[in-house]
Structures are given as structure tokens and as C-alpha cells.
Amino acid sequence: MNADVPKRPTDEPFLLVQGDALSRLESRIGLAPRGGGIKRRALIYALVAWLPLVVASWLSGPADAQATESLLGHFGIHIRCLVAIPLLVLAEAVAQKNLLICLREFKRSGLVDDALAARFDGIVEDVIRLKRRVSPWLVIGVLAAAWTAAFLVSPNPDELRWTPADGERMAFGAWWFLLVTRPLFSVLLLAWMWRLTLVGILLLRIARLPLKLVVMHPDRMGGLGFLDRLPMVYAPFLFSVSAVVAGAWAHTVFYHGVAVPTLYAQVATLLLVLILIGLAPLLVFSSMLAHAKRQALLDYGALLSEHGRLVDARWIHKAQIAEQPILDAPELGPVADVQAMYQSVAAMRPAVISKSILLRIALPAALPLLLLVATQWPLKSTLSKLLFTLL
């Protein structure tokens, strides 16, 4: 009989991608059977975006005088089709798994106790309803269509130099790039911007709850250390954006004589923006952590002061004092343990940020840009210096 009772929304796990408008459309047309088929879908999208461009370039002939550049040298196009597009699809499984673990840990760790469970479930349910709305995806469709129309009216000539042009007419490769490849990437990119916005909204609302932080927790984040999985949700998006932009810049370096140092300001700006995007969902807990630390320093400072005065009176001044539970409490232990408690509180971080978290955010954002910068370094001398340093 219980099998006939519909599942309550609060019993439904929060799956970032499954159930949104795009995934429902993909399921309807057979690209995502029962929310699966991620690898197949990633391969299909990559081939649809890239293969017609290669065929069109090959059929036009390498010696075509009207094509001033080869498609092979347009790194940004290849990276967009063969790296960014499939990665944004494959990221669905990684994001859903890691976000689901993070949400479960709020309850499992006791940060959300029985008294807060109903409010916590209500927040998750609200964001699930928001995820299922169609209106954000209509906005994404309009933005992608407007972006496509803008490039149809005024295409970037540098992106189309590999296609032959007959007067005012564009070749098939140019049309496919403008009407299929670029819009497909734009939709996936905007989709992930919306999904990551949902993650931010979810965490922001959770951060407003009176979570039961443990100020002496060894993770030094009040027990929120499990959120170090969250950068894995953002990493594919950060890497995809960085790789596509770095690929486009690499083309200008190799084929248009642009010096890499002239791009340093743009590289640094892009890297900073991407790192801030990755840190933003973690920073929503900063106010809560900072307040908990300030209050705990006062509370544990008072406890340590009381304990210290009693120890001083008993053992230094040899005073006869009444029995004090604080001196014999096993959870406090000797003076050194009481001091360690205060030092543990003082070491608490005011934000969910650590070296490992920063590395998980900065590395995917920086790696393509570092490869771009490395193109100005002579390979032989660089390897020689590296081996000399290591050996």
C-alpha cells in the first residue's frame, strides 16, 4: 500500500541537472534515456559541433585561395568542440554526485539537527521547484538566439578565415559554425551558469539557518570541511571557459603575431574572475563562521580564565577552595588541554577556504592559461632548467 503513496518532495534527493527543462527535453528526444547516457550524449554533441566543420574544411581543399587560414590552427574552435562541449555534458554526473554528498552531510554531521530538518528540507524543496521552472530556460534560449543573431549579422572575421567566401556568401562551414557549433556551446554554457546560480541560491539559504557549528572541529571550519567537494561542481565550468578563451588567444599568438606579454592583463583578469566564481558559493558561510569564532573566543576565553584562576588558587596560593566541577571535569582535562581548546577555537578559519580548496578552484581555471603563457618559453631551455633544479 505504501508503494502507491507518491513520494514527497522533501524525500527527493537534490539532483542539480536531472529534472530541469534541458534534461527533460534531452530525454524526450532520446538523448538522455532516464537521465543517463551522459557519455553517449557528450560524444554526440562533440561530433555534431566539430565533424561537419572538419568535413567542410577538407572538401573546400587546402589550396583554396579564398581560405586564408587552416581550420587546424583555430585552436579555440577545436577546444570548444572537443573539450568544452563534452566536458560540460560529462560534468553533470560529477556535479550531481558531489552536491548530493554535501547536502547529506549537513544532516549526517549534525549541523542540521532535528529542529532544523524541516526548514532545511523546505529550502531544498524550494530550489528543486525553482530548478524545474521553464522560464529561466526560455531566457537562456532567447539569449542564445540573440547571441547567434548578432554574430550572423556581424560575424567575427578571425573565426571564419578558415572558410572560403564567395563574395558576400558564406560557405557551409561558416554557416554550421554560426548556427550549430556556437549556439550549442552557448546553450551549454548558459545552462551551467544557471545551474551554478541555483547552487549559490541553495547554499545562501542554508547559510541563513542557525547551523550547529562545532567551533573546535579539526577541519577548522566549524564542521563545514566537507564542502571541499564543492569546487568539483564548478571545476568543469571554470576549465571550459578558461580553455576556450586560452585557445582563441593562442591562435592570435601563433598566427597573428600577438606577443604573449601583451595578454598578461587579460589573462590575470580572467583568472581572477574565474577564481571568484569558484569561491563565491563557499563565501556565503563566512559571516556565520566569523560570528561563531568571535563568540567562541569570548566564551572559551571566559572558561579558560575561570579554570586558570581556580588552578592558581589551589596549587600556587594553596588556598582551600570548595569543590569545583570545572577542575575535575574529564572533558576539560588538565590545564594544557584547556589551553588547547582555546587555541583550537583561535585557529578556526573565518571562511570555508583552505589551500586544497583554493588549489581545486585555481588549477582548472589557471591550467589552460598557464599553457598559453608557456608558449613563449623555449622548450629546450625550460626543460633543461627544470631538470637542473630537480637534479
PDB file of all heavy atoms in Angstrom, residues 6-42:
ATOM      1  N   PRO A   6       2.544   8.617  -3.302  1.00  0.00           N
ATOM      2  CA  PRO A   6       3.558   9.360  -4.044  1.00  0.00           C
ATOM      3  C   PRO A   6       4.643   9.885  -3.116  1.00  0.00           C
ATOM      4  O   PRO A   6       4.390  10.220  -1.974  1.00  0.00           O
ATOM      5  CB  PRO A   6       2.758  10.521  -4.673  1.00  0.00           C
ATOM      6  CG  PRO A   6       1.538  10.661  -3.821  1.00  0.00           C
ATOM      7  CD  PRO A   6       1.211   9.296  -3.327  1.00  0.00           C
ATOM      8  N   LYS A   7       5.841   9.929  -3.645  1.00  0.00           N
ATOM      9  CA  LYS A   7       6.978  10.416  -2.866  1.00  0.00           C
ATOM     10  C   LYS A   7       6.843  11.902  -2.587  1.00  0.00           C
ATOM     11  O   LYS A   7       6.536  12.688  -3.475  1.00  0.00           O
ATOM     12  CB  LYS A   7       8.282  10.167  -3.632  1.00  0.00           C
ATOM     13  CG  LYS A   7       9.518  10.652  -2.887  1.00  0.00           C
ATOM     14  CD  LYS A   7      10.757  10.546  -3.735  1.00  0.00           C
ATOM     15  CE  LYS A   7      11.313   9.168  -3.788  1.00  0.00           C
ATOM     16  NZ  LYS A   7      12.634   9.129  -4.435  1.00  0.00           N
ATOM     17  N   ARG A   8       7.093  12.276  -1.362  1.00  0.00           N
ATOM     18  CA  ARG A   8       7.029  13.688  -1.006  1.00  0.00           C
ATOM     19  C   ARG A   8       8.248  14.410  -1.555  1.00  0.00           C
ATOM     20  O   ARG A   8       9.329  13.841  -1.647  1.00  0.00           O
ATOM     21  CB  ARG A   8       6.985  13.856   0.510  1.00  0.00           C
ATOM     22  CG  ARG A   8       5.730  13.333   1.166  1.00  0.00           C
ATOM     23  CD  ARG A   8       5.799  13.570   2.658  1.00  0.00           C
ATOM     24  NE  ARG A   8       7.016  12.993   3.205  1.00  0.00           N
ATOM     25  CZ  ARG A   8       7.653  13.459   4.276  1.00  0.00           C
ATOM     26  NH1 ARG A   8       7.229  14.536   4.861  1.00  0.00           N
ATOM     27  NH2 ARG A   8       8.723  12.859   4.737  1.00  0.00           N
ATOM     28  N   PRO A   9       8.094  15.683  -1.917  1.00  0.00           N
ATOM     29  CA  PRO A   9       9.241  16.410  -2.446  1.00  0.00           C
ATOM     30  C   PRO A   9      10.413  16.431  -1.481  1.00  0.00           C
ATOM     31  O   PRO A   9      11.555  16.438  -1.885  1.00  0.00           O
ATOM     32  CB  PRO A   9       8.677  17.822  -2.697  1.00  0.00           C
ATOM     33  CG  PRO A   9       7.209  17.619  -2.888  1.00  0.00           C
ATOM     34  CD  PRO A   9       6.849  16.475  -2.002  1.00  0.00           C
ATOM     35  N   THR A  10      10.121  16.466  -0.163  1.00  0.00           N
ATOM     36  CA  THR A  10      11.200  16.537   0.806  1.00  0.00           C
ATOM     37  C   THR A  10      11.994  15.247   0.858  1.00  0.00           C
ATOM     38  O   THR A  10      13.100  15.226   1.366  1.00  0.00           O
ATOM     39  CB  THR A  10      10.632  16.839   2.208  1.00  0.00           C
ATOM     40  OG1 THR A  10       9.590  15.907   2.497  1.00  0.00           O
ATOM     41  CG2 THR A  10      10.100  18.238   2.270  1.00  0.00           C
ATOM     42  N   ASP A  11      11.412  14.117   0.371  1.00  0.00           N
ATOM     43  CA  ASP A  11      12.130  12.856   0.330  1.00  0.00           C
ATOM     44  C   ASP A  11      12.970  12.727  -0.931  1.00  0.00           C
ATOM     45  O   ASP A  11      13.740  11.786  -1.076  1.00  0.00           O
ATOM     46  CB  ASP A  11      11.144  11.685   0.392  1.00  0.00           C
ATOM     47  CG  ASP A  11      10.390  11.641   1.712  1.00  0.00           C
ATOM     48  OD1 ASP A  11      10.972  12.089   2.709  1.00  0.00           O
ATOM     49  OD2 ASP A  11       9.242  11.185   1.727  1.00  0.00           O
ATOM     50  N   GLU A  12      12.811  13.635  -1.853  1.00  0.00           N
ATOM     51  CA  GLU A  12      13.507  13.562  -3.136  1.00  0.00           C
ATOM     52  C   GLU A  12      14.901  14.148  -3.012  1.00  0.00           C
ATOM     53  O   GLU A  12      15.080  15.257  -2.524  1.00  0.00           O
ATOM     54  CB  GLU A  12      12.715  14.337  -4.190  1.00  0.00           C
ATOM     55  CG  GLU A  12      13.351  14.328  -5.558  1.00  0.00           C
ATOM     56  CD  GLU A  12      12.562  15.149  -6.553  1.00  0.00           C
ATOM     57  OE1 GLU A  12      11.443  15.570  -6.193  1.00  0.00           O
ATOM     58  OE2 GLU A  12      13.055  15.360  -7.668  1.00  0.00           O
ATOM     59  N   PRO A  13      15.943  13.401  -3.435  1.00  0.00           N
ATOM     60  CA  PRO A  13      17.296  13.953  -3.373  1.00  0.00           C
ATOM     61  C   PRO A  13      17.450  15.104  -4.355  1.00  0.00           C
ATOM     62  O   PRO A  13      16.795  15.138  -5.395  1.00  0.00           O
ATOM     63  CB  PRO A  13      18.182  12.761  -3.768  1.00  0.00           C
ATOM     64  CG  PRO A  13      17.291  11.891  -4.589  1.00  0.00           C
ATOM     65  CD  PRO A  13      15.911  12.048  -3.993  1.00  0.00           C
ATOM     66  N   PHE A  14      18.314  16.029  -4.011  1.00  0.00           N
ATOM     67  CA  PHE A  14      18.535  17.179  -4.874  1.00  0.00           C
ATOM     68  C   PHE A  14      19.526  16.801  -5.964  1.00  0.00           C
ATOM     69  O   PHE A  14      20.710  16.604  -5.704  1.00  0.00           O
ATOM     70  CB  PHE A  14      19.062  18.368  -4.072  1.00  0.00           C
ATOM     71  CG  PHE A  14      19.273  19.596  -4.916  1.00  0.00           C
ATOM     72  CD1 PHE A  14      18.209  20.423  -5.215  1.00  0.00           C
ATOM     73  CD2 PHE A  14      20.525  19.908  -5.414  1.00  0.00           C
ATOM     74  CE1 PHE A  14      18.390  21.553  -6.006  1.00  0.00           C
ATOM     75  CE2 PHE A  14      20.713  21.039  -6.198  1.00  0.00           C
ATOM     76  CZ  PHE A  14      19.646  21.856  -6.494  1.00  0.00           C
ATOM     77  N   LEU A  15      19.042  16.665  -7.174  1.00  0.00           N
ATOM     78  CA  LEU A  15      19.881  16.379  -8.331  1.00  0.00           C
ATOM     79  C   LEU A  15      19.941  17.639  -9.184  1.00  0.00           C
ATOM     80  O   LEU A  15      18.920  18.099  -9.694  1.00  0.00           O
ATOM     81  CB  LEU A  15      19.307  15.213  -9.136  1.00  0.00           C
ATOM     82  CG  LEU A  15      19.190  13.888  -8.364  1.00  0.00           C
ATOM     83  CD1 LEU A  15      18.519  12.828  -9.232  1.00  0.00           C
ATOM     84  CD2 LEU A  15      20.549  13.409  -7.883  1.00  0.00           C
ATOM     85  N   LEU A  16      21.123  18.180  -9.304  1.00  0.00           N
ATOM     86  CA  LEU A  16      21.284  19.503  -9.907  1.00  0.00           C
ATOM     87  C   LEU A  16      20.776  19.562 -11.340  1.00  0.00           C
ATOM     88  O   LEU A  16      20.173  20.563 -11.750  1.00  0.00           O
ATOM     89  CB  LEU A  16      22.760  19.912  -9.857  1.00  0.00           C
ATOM     90  CG  LEU A  16      23.111  21.276 -10.454  1.00  0.00           C
ATOM     91  CD1 LEU A  16      22.379  22.391  -9.721  1.00  0.00           C
ATOM     92  CD2 LEU A  16      24.622  21.502 -10.405  1.00  0.00           C
ATOM     93  N   VAL A  17      20.998  18.503 -12.118  1.00  0.00           N
ATOM     94  CA  VAL A  17      20.687  18.526 -13.546  1.00  0.00           C
ATOM     95  C   VAL A  17      19.397  17.768 -13.860  1.00  0.00           C
ATOM     96  O   VAL A  17      18.521  18.274 -14.570  1.00  0.00           O
ATOM     97  CB  VAL A  17      21.858  17.949 -14.361  1.00  0.00           C
ATOM     98  CG1 VAL A  17      21.500  17.883 -15.844  1.00  0.00           C
ATOM     99  CG2 VAL A  17      23.118  18.778 -14.142  1.00  0.00           C
ATOM    100  N   GLN A  18      19.289  16.569 -13.340  1.00  0.00           N
ATOM    101  CA  GLN A  18      18.159  15.721 -13.679  1.00  0.00           C
ATOM    102  C   GLN A  18      16.836  16.361 -13.273  1.00  0.00           C
ATOM    103  O   GLN A  18      16.638  16.744 -12.129  1.00  0.00           O
ATOM    104  CB  GLN A  18      18.306  14.360 -12.985  1.00  0.00           C
ATOM    105  CG  GLN A  18      17.309  13.327 -13.447  1.00  0.00           C
ATOM    106  CD  GLN A  18      17.605  11.960 -12.861  1.00  0.00           C
ATOM    107  OE1 GLN A  18      18.751  11.648 -12.558  1.00  0.00           O
ATOM    108  NE2 GLN A  18      16.572  11.143 -12.699  1.00  0.00           N
ATOM    109  N   GLY A  19      15.934  16.489 -14.233  1.00  0.00           N
ATOM    110  CA  GLY A  19      14.628  17.070 -13.966  1.00  0.00           C
ATOM    111  C   GLY A  19      14.480  18.507 -14.405  1.00  0.00           C
ATOM    112  O   GLY A  19      13.363  19.038 -14.382  1.00  0.00           O
ATOM    113  N   ASP A  20      15.591  19.164 -14.813  1.00  0.00           N
ATOM    114  CA  ASP A  20      15.415  20.530 -15.315  1.00  0.00           C
ATOM    115  C   ASP A  20      14.925  20.484 -16.759  1.00  0.00           C
ATOM    116  O   ASP A  20      14.816  19.428 -17.378  1.00  0.00           O
ATOM    117  CB  ASP A  20      16.700  21.359 -15.152  1.00  0.00           C
ATOM    118  CG  ASP A  20      17.857  20.870 -16.024  1.00  0.00           C
ATOM    119  OD1 ASP A  20      17.611  20.124 -16.989  1.00  0.00           O
ATOM    120  OD2 ASP A  20      19.010  21.227 -15.729  1.00  0.00           O
ATOM    121  N   ALA A  21      14.600  21.636 -17.315  1.00  0.00           N
ATOM    122  CA  ALA A  21      13.956  21.687 -18.631  1.00  0.00           C
ATOM    123  C   ALA A  21      14.830  21.095 -19.724  1.00  0.00           C
ATOM    124  O   ALA A  21      14.341  20.395 -20.618  1.00  0.00           O
ATOM    125  CB  ALA A  21      13.596  23.139 -18.965  1.00  0.00           C
ATOM    126  N   LEU A  22      16.141  21.358 -19.671  1.00  0.00           N
ATOM    127  CA  LEU A  22      17.030  20.841 -20.711  1.00  0.00           C
ATOM    128  C   LEU A  22      17.131  19.321 -20.636  1.00  0.00           C
ATOM    129  O   LEU A  22      17.079  18.637 -21.667  1.00  0.00           O
ATOM    130  CB  LEU A  22      18.419  21.466 -20.576  1.00  0.00           C
ATOM    131  CG  LEU A  22      19.454  21.022 -21.613  1.00  0.00           C
ATOM    132  CD1 LEU A  22      18.974  21.331 -23.028  1.00  0.00           C
ATOM    133  CD2 LEU A  22      20.801  21.679 -21.347  1.00  0.00           C
ATOM    134  N   SER A  23      17.264  18.786 -19.439  1.00  0.00           N
ATOM    135  CA  SER A  23      17.367  17.324 -19.315  1.00  0.00           C
ATOM    136  C   SER A  23      16.056  16.650 -19.719  1.00  0.00           C
ATOM    137  O   SER A  23      16.065  15.565 -20.305  1.00  0.00           O
ATOM    138  CB  SER A  23      17.743  16.938 -17.887  1.00  0.00           C
ATOM    139  OG  SER A  23      16.689  17.197 -16.982  1.00  0.00           O
ATOM    140  N   ARG A  24      14.931  17.286 -19.439  1.00  0.00           N
ATOM    141  CA  ARG A  24      13.645  16.716 -19.866  1.00  0.00           C
ATOM    142  C   ARG A  24      13.530  16.713 -21.387  1.00  0.00           C
ATOM    143  O   ARG A  24      13.023  15.759 -21.983  1.00  0.00           O
ATOM    144  CB  ARG A  24      12.480  17.498 -19.242  1.00  0.00           C
ATOM    145  CG  ARG A  24      12.403  17.400 -17.729  1.00  0.00           C
ATOM    146  CD  ARG A  24      11.020  17.771 -17.211  1.00  0.00           C
ATOM    147  NE  ARG A  24      10.616  19.117 -17.585  1.00  0.00           N
ATOM    148  CZ  ARG A  24      10.827  20.204 -16.853  1.00  0.00           C
ATOM    149  NH1 ARG A  24      11.473  20.102 -15.689  1.00  0.00           N
ATOM    150  NH2 ARG A  24      10.406  21.382 -17.246  1.00  0.00           N
ATOM    151  N   LEU A  25      14.009  17.784 -22.023  1.00  0.00           N
ATOM    152  CA  LEU A  25      13.990  17.842 -23.490  1.00  0.00           C
ATOM    153  C   LEU A  25      14.892  16.767 -24.077  1.00  0.00           C
ATOM    154  O   LEU A  25      14.523  16.089 -25.050  1.00  0.00           O
ATOM    155  CB  LEU A  25      14.435  19.229 -23.951  1.00  0.00           C
ATOM    156  CG  LEU A  25      14.578  19.429 -25.462  1.00  0.00           C
ATOM    157  CD1 LEU A  25      13.236  19.221 -26.158  1.00  0.00           C
ATOM    158  CD2 LEU A  25      15.140  20.816 -25.766  1.00  0.00           C
ATOM    159  N   GLU A  26      16.078  16.603 -23.499  1.00  0.00           N
ATOM    160  CA  GLU A  26      17.007  15.583 -23.992  1.00  0.00           C
ATOM    161  C   GLU A  26      16.423  14.185 -23.823  1.00  0.00           C
ATOM    162  O   GLU A  26      16.612  13.317 -24.676  1.00  0.00           O
ATOM    163  CB  GLU A  26      18.341  15.704 -23.250  1.00  0.00           C
ATOM    164  CG  GLU A  26      19.129  16.953 -23.623  1.00  0.00           C
ATOM    165  CD  GLU A  26      20.335  17.154 -22.748  1.00  0.00           C
ATOM    166  OE1 GLU A  26      20.316  16.698 -21.577  1.00  0.00           O
ATOM    167  OE2 GLU A  26      21.316  17.778 -23.198  1.00  0.00           O
ATOM    168  N   SER A  27      15.720  13.952 -22.724  1.00  0.00           N
ATOM    169  CA  SER A  27      15.075  12.653 -22.511  1.00  0.00           C
ATOM    170  C   SER A  27      13.966  12.417 -23.529  1.00  0.00           C
ATOM    171  O   SER A  27      13.793  11.301 -24.043  1.00  0.00           O
ATOM    172  CB  SER A  27      14.517  12.564 -21.093  1.00  0.00           C
ATOM    173  OG  SER A  27      15.538  12.668 -20.134  1.00  0.00           O
ATOM    174  N   ARG A  28      13.230  13.465 -23.837  1.00  0.00           N
ATOM    175  CA  ARG A  28      12.110  13.345 -24.759  1.00  0.00           C
ATOM    176  C   ARG A  28      12.562  12.986 -26.172  1.00  0.00           C
ATOM    177  O   ARG A  28      11.874  12.246 -26.891  1.00  0.00           O
ATOM    178  CB  ARG A  28      11.310  14.644 -24.766  1.00  0.00           C
ATOM    179  CG  ARG A  28       9.956  14.563 -25.438  1.00  0.00           C
ATOM    180  CD  ARG A  28       9.159  15.820 -25.159  1.00  0.00           C
ATOM    181  NE  ARG A  28       8.931  15.998 -23.728  1.00  0.00           N
ATOM    182  CZ  ARG A  28       8.400  17.086 -23.175  1.00  0.00           C
ATOM    183  NH1 ARG A  28       8.039  18.102 -23.949  1.00  0.00           N
ATOM    184  NH2 ARG A  28       8.237  17.160 -21.878  1.00  0.00           N
ATOM    185  N   ILE A  29      13.725  13.491 -26.567  1.00  0.00           N
ATOM    186  CA  ILE A  29      14.209  13.202 -27.922  1.00  0.00           C
ATOM    187  C   ILE A  29      15.171  12.017 -27.944  1.00  0.00           C
ATOM    188  O   ILE A  29      15.767  11.717 -28.986  1.00  0.00           O
ATOM    189  CB  ILE A  29      14.877  14.437 -28.553  1.00  0.00           C
ATOM    190  CG1 ILE A  29      16.110  14.862 -27.738  1.00  0.00           C
ATOM    191  CG2 ILE A  29      13.900  15.580 -28.675  1.00  0.00           C
ATOM    192  CD1 ILE A  29      16.847  16.055 -28.326  1.00  0.00           C
ATOM    193  N   GLY A  30      15.347  11.367 -26.797  1.00  0.00           N
ATOM    194  CA  GLY A  30      16.145  10.148 -26.745  1.00  0.00           C
ATOM    195  C   GLY A  30      17.617  10.323 -26.499  1.00  0.00           C
ATOM    196  O   GLY A  30      18.378   9.351 -26.545  1.00  0.00           O
ATOM    197  N   LEU A  31      18.070  11.552 -26.207  1.00  0.00           N
ATOM    198  CA  LEU A  31      19.491  11.772 -25.944  1.00  0.00           C
ATOM    199  C   LEU A  31      19.884  11.397 -24.524  1.00  0.00           C
ATOM    200  O   LEU A  31      21.049  11.109 -24.260  1.00  0.00           O
ATOM    201  CB  LEU A  31      19.854  13.242 -26.209  1.00  0.00           C
ATOM    202  CG  LEU A  31      19.979  13.658 -27.669  1.00  0.00           C
ATOM    203  CD1 LEU A  31      20.209  15.145 -27.770  1.00  0.00           C
ATOM    204  CD2 LEU A  31      21.114  12.886 -28.338  1.00  0.00           C
ATOM    205  N   ALA A  32      18.931  11.449 -23.603  1.00  0.00           N
ATOM    206  CA  ALA A  32      19.224  11.152 -22.207  1.00  0.00           C
ATOM    207  C   ALA A  32      18.170  10.197 -21.666  1.00  0.00           C
ATOM    208  O   ALA A  32      17.258  10.608 -20.942  1.00  0.00           O
ATOM    209  CB  ALA A  32      19.270  12.438 -21.381  1.00  0.00           C
ATOM    210  N   PRO A  33      18.240   8.913 -22.025  1.00  0.00           N
ATOM    211  CA  PRO A  33      17.251   7.961 -21.537  1.00  0.00           C
ATOM    212  C   PRO A  33      17.304   7.813 -20.021  1.00  0.00           C
ATOM    213  O   PRO A  33      18.351   7.473 -19.468  1.00  0.00           O
ATOM    214  CB  PRO A  33      17.655   6.656 -22.240  1.00  0.00           C
ATOM    215  CG  PRO A  33      19.100   6.829 -22.585  1.00  0.00           C
ATOM    216  CD  PRO A  33      19.281   8.286 -22.846  1.00  0.00           C
ATOM    217  N   ARG A  34      16.181   8.102 -19.373  1.00  0.00           N
ATOM    218  CA  ARG A  34      16.080   8.015 -17.912  1.00  0.00           C
ATOM    219  C   ARG A  34      17.171   8.815 -17.208  1.00  0.00           C
ATOM    220  O   ARG A  34      17.712   8.411 -16.178  1.00  0.00           O
ATOM    221  CB  ARG A  34      16.145   6.554 -17.453  1.00  0.00           C
ATOM    222  CG  ARG A  34      14.984   5.704 -17.954  1.00  0.00           C
ATOM    223  CD  ARG A  34      15.076   4.309 -17.423  1.00  0.00           C
ATOM    224  NE  ARG A  34      13.959   3.487 -17.919  1.00  0.00           N
ATOM    225  CZ  ARG A  34      13.790   2.208 -17.604  1.00  0.00           C
ATOM    226  NH1 ARG A  34      14.660   1.604 -16.802  1.00  0.00           N
ATOM    227  NH2 ARG A  34      12.757   1.532 -18.094  1.00  0.00           N
ATOM    228  N   GLY A  35      17.511   9.968 -17.776  1.00  0.00           N
ATOM    229  CA  GLY A  35      18.503  10.840 -17.174  1.00  0.00           C
ATOM    230  C   GLY A  35      19.934  10.367 -17.331  1.00  0.00           C
ATOM    231  O   GLY A  35      20.852  10.975 -16.796  1.00  0.00           O
ATOM    232  N   GLY A  36      20.160   9.263 -18.090  1.00  0.00           N
ATOM    233  CA  GLY A  36      21.506   8.724 -18.260  1.00  0.00           C
ATOM    234  C   GLY A  36      22.064   9.031 -19.631  1.00  0.00           C
ATOM    235  O   GLY A  36      21.739  10.031 -20.257  1.00  0.00           O
ATOM    236  N   GLY A  37      22.916   8.114 -20.134  1.00  0.00           N
ATOM    237  CA  GLY A  37      23.516   8.293 -21.449  1.00  0.00           C
ATOM    238  C   GLY A  37      24.429   9.486 -21.543  1.00  0.00           C
ATOM    239  O   GLY A  37      24.547  10.104 -22.606  1.00  0.00           O
ATOM    240  N   ILE A  38      25.132   9.805 -20.442  1.00  0.00           N
ATOM    241  CA  ILE A  38      25.944  11.021 -20.433  1.00  0.00           C
ATOM    242  C   ILE A  38      27.115  10.912 -21.404  1.00  0.00           C
ATOM    243  O   ILE A  38      27.387  11.839 -22.184  1.00  0.00           O
ATOM    244  CB  ILE A  38      26.432  11.319 -19.004  1.00  0.00           C
ATOM    245  CG1 ILE A  38      25.251  11.731 -18.121  1.00  0.00           C
ATOM    246  CG2 ILE A  38      27.484  12.414 -19.011  1.00  0.00           C
ATOM    247  CD1 ILE A  38      25.630  12.035 -16.690  1.00  0.00           C
ATOM    248  N   LYS A  39      27.812   9.783 -21.385  1.00  0.00           N
ATOM    249  CA  LYS A  39      28.972   9.633 -22.271  1.00  0.00           C
ATOM    250  C   LYS A  39      28.544   9.670 -23.737  1.00  0.00           C
ATOM    251  O   LYS A  39      29.210  10.297 -24.568  1.00  0.00           O
ATOM    252  CB  LYS A  39      29.689   8.330 -21.952  1.00  0.00           C
ATOM    253  CG  LYS A  39      30.336   8.304 -20.581  1.00  0.00           C
ATOM    254  CD  LYS A  39      31.044   6.974 -20.329  1.00  0.00           C
ATOM    255  CE  LYS A  39      31.669   6.958 -18.948  1.00  0.00           C
ATOM    256  NZ  LYS A  39      32.345   5.663 -18.665  1.00  0.00           N
ATOM    257  N   ARG A  40      27.449   8.988 -24.042  1.00  0.00           N
ATOM    258  CA  ARG A  40      26.969   8.987 -25.424  1.00  0.00           C
ATOM    259  C   ARG A  40      26.564  10.397 -25.844  1.00  0.00           C
ATOM    260  O   ARG A  40      26.854  10.833 -26.966  1.00  0.00           O
ATOM    261  CB  ARG A  40      25.783   8.030 -25.551  1.00  0.00           C
ATOM    262  CG  ARG A  40      25.292   7.875 -26.981  1.00  0.00           C
ATOM    263  CD  ARG A  40      24.021   7.066 -27.053  1.00  0.00           C
ATOM    264  NE  ARG A  40      22.895   7.791 -26.457  1.00  0.00           N
ATOM    265  CZ  ARG A  40      21.637   7.362 -26.535  1.00  0.00           C
ATOM    266  NH1 ARG A  40      21.350   6.237 -27.135  1.00  0.00           N
ATOM    267  NH2 ARG A  40      20.670   8.072 -25.981  1.00  0.00           N
ATOM    268  N   ARG A  41      25.885  11.102 -24.958  1.00  0.00           N
ATOM    269  CA  ARG A  41      25.440  12.464 -25.275  1.00  0.00           C
ATOM    270  C   ARG A  41      26.631  13.390 -25.475  1.00  0.00           C
ATOM    271  O   ARG A  41      26.626  14.245 -26.371  1.00  0.00           O
ATOM    272  CB  ARG A  41      24.542  12.963 -24.141  1.00  0.00           C
ATOM    273  CG  ARG A  41      23.841  14.268 -24.420  1.00  0.00           C
ATOM    274  CD  ARG A  41      22.602  14.449 -23.564  1.00  0.00           C
ATOM    275  NE  ARG A  41      22.634  13.683 -22.350  1.00  0.00           N
ATOM    276  CZ  ARG A  41      22.838  14.203 -21.134  1.00  0.00           C
ATOM    277  NH1 ARG A  41      23.056  15.491 -21.022  1.00  0.00           N
ATOM    278  NH2 ARG A  41      22.814  13.434 -20.063  1.00  0.00           N
ATOM    279  N   ALA A  42      27.664  13.238 -24.654  1.00  0.00           N
ATOM    280  CA  ALA A  42      28.861  14.073 -24.791  1.00  0.00           C
ATOM    281  C   ALA A  42      29.531  13.822 -26.140  1.00  0.00           C
ATOM    282  O   ALA A  42      29.958  14.765 -26.825  1.00  0.00           O
ATOM    283  CB  ALA A  42      29.840  13.779 -23.657  1.00  0.00           C
TER     284      ALA A  42
END
